[in-house]
Amino acid sequence: MSAIFQTLAPFAFALLRVAVGLALVPHGLRNTFGFFPDTGVRALNLKALAAQLDLDGYRPGKFWAPAIAITQLAGGPLLALGLFTRPAAAIVLVFLLVANVERWRVGKYFWNQLGLEYTLMWTIATFYVLAHGGGLYSLDHLIGWKF
């Protein structure tokens, strides 16, 4: 039976890595280009996101808004593809750690009160990807890059 699980493990890890990466993209599309306007933060472009960040104490918002957008729109797909996996995961992890602090400040723990429950799970999954690298089914592995 353990042979089955050893066979499945690389697929499970690739699925986790892809899910972590792709989960970031819709947030970046919303905050940068206004997609999905009826969800989450009401900042539907970088200028509005920068203003919201300034209001929340993350100054200067004009710096952090594009940094967040790049993290979500570039870091997410890099994780999903398993390309530059560890550097991308490290940047995403820092972003998510800050998001957890903000979620705790706003709603404490429970996700339905804007707490950190949801972002904490993604943070732990990202940390797992950081620790393990791209894995067998990644572009890093395909081209022989070891990070």
Side-chain angles (χ1 to χ4, degrees):
M1 189 61 116
S2 69
I4 291 171
F5 295 121
Q6 287 177 341
T7 301
L8 291 176
F11 294 105
F13 176 65
L15 183 60
L16 176 66
R17 193 193 69 245
V18 168
V20 167
L22 292 182
L24 293 166
V25 174
H27 296 277
L29 291 173
R30 180 187 59 221
N31 293 336
T32 306
F33 303 112
F35 289 42
F36 319 111
D38 296 327
T39 63
V41 178
R42 298 298 181 240
L44 300 178
N45 58 54
L46 290 180
K47 185 176 179 180
L49 181 58
Q52 184 64 52
L53 290 166
D54 280 332
L55 282 174
D56 291 339
Y58 297 97
R59 295 183 182 94
K62 286 183 179 183
F63 171 81
W64 291 115
I68 289 168
I70 291 167
T71 298
Q72 294 170 329
L73 294 174
L78 287 173
L79 283 179
L81 293 169
L83 182 63
F84 303 112
T85 306
R86 283 194 171 113
I91 293 166
V92 169
L93 182 64
V94 170
F95 164 71
L96 287 170
L97 288 169
V98 173
N100 279 301
V101 170
E102 180 64 14
R103 293 297 90 218
W104 180 259
R105 185 185 68 77
V106 170
K108 303 297 183 236
Y109 179 74
F110 295 101
W111 69 270
N112 61 348
Q113 296 175 348
L114 299 178
L116 67 82
E117 183 176 23
Y118 181 74
T119 55
L120 179 61
M121 191 60 66
W122 288 113
T123 303
I124 293 166
T126 302
F127 180 66
Y128 187 86
V129 172
L130 175 63
H132 290 271
L136 183 61
Y137 300 109
S138 68
L139 289 180
D140 285 343
H141 181 78
L142 181 69
I143 59 180
W145 287 353
K146 304 273 187 203
F147 288 100

